[in-house]
Amino acid sequence: MKLYFSPGACSLSPHIVLRELGLPFEAIKVDLASKTTADGADFRAVNPKGYVPALQLDSGEVLTEGPAIVQYLADQKPEAGLAPANGSMPRYRLQEWLNFISTEIHKQFSPLFNPANPDSVKDAQKAKLAQRFAEIAPVLEKQDYLTGSQFSVADAYLFTVLGWSKYFHIDLNQWPAIARYVDRVAARPAVAEALEVEAKAKKAA
Ligand SMILES: N[C@@H](CCC(=O)N[C@@H](CS)C(=O)NCC(=O)O)C(=O)O
């Protein structure tokens, strides 16, 4: 499998999942500005949408959209427990989280990355995010991970997007349970490895 990624982007989520599962994969860095891969190839030929993550399977088929990719990966090794069985109520709960993270957190961060947006827009986005963080905090006060005591693909995704808070002076210590959660996830060996690999890839830019 090939994971197309950009250091620190939302592709960190499937990157973490691949390492948690111990699946063999090749990480291919994408320059999102030029839409080219490290060897100069046109990334749009892989994903016409031009964004990461994209997962190319050994068959050549390409899967896009982070929430779909991480579920596909988890289902390759169900015994690892990163996603409950398909069709079960716990699986729908996981999908509920993935959708919430995607639409209510990930895409609420997006306008903050756009330098063309005025401060008024950015302040409104930060207020929305603060509201969502305040909704998540009570969940993480009573359990270690989003779906309970077991790390899941939703945690890989939430950890990834929470990591962007530091770029916009959003202090996660306002929600101590979230700050503790970030430390807990960061301490997982697979997560530390993914972060280290991406930090090196960023420096090599
Ligand atoms: N709907 C996509 C969104 C992916 C996305 O927003 N990717 C960003 C990085 S976090 C990106 O590659 N942006 C570059 C672009 O859209 O040109 C998903 O959930 O996978």
Side-chain angles (χ1 to χ4, degrees), residues 9-10 32 35 50-53 65-67 106-107 164:
C10 49
L32 290 174
K35 309 290 179 202
Y51 52 61
V52 292
E65 302 303 319
H106 179 173
K107 285 298 158 183
W164 299 338

Side-chain angles (χ1 to χ4, degrees), residues 6 8-11 30 32-33 35 43-44 49-54 64-69 102 106-107 110 113 157 160 164:
S6 171
C10 49
S11 44
V30 178
L32 290 174
K35 309 290 179 202
F43 175 57
R44 282 207 168 96
K49 293 180 278 195
Y51 52 61
V52 292
T64 63
E65 302 303 319
I69 293 173
S102 179
H106 179 173
K107 285 298 158 183
S110 301
F113 284 101
Y157 193 16
T160 295
W164 299 338

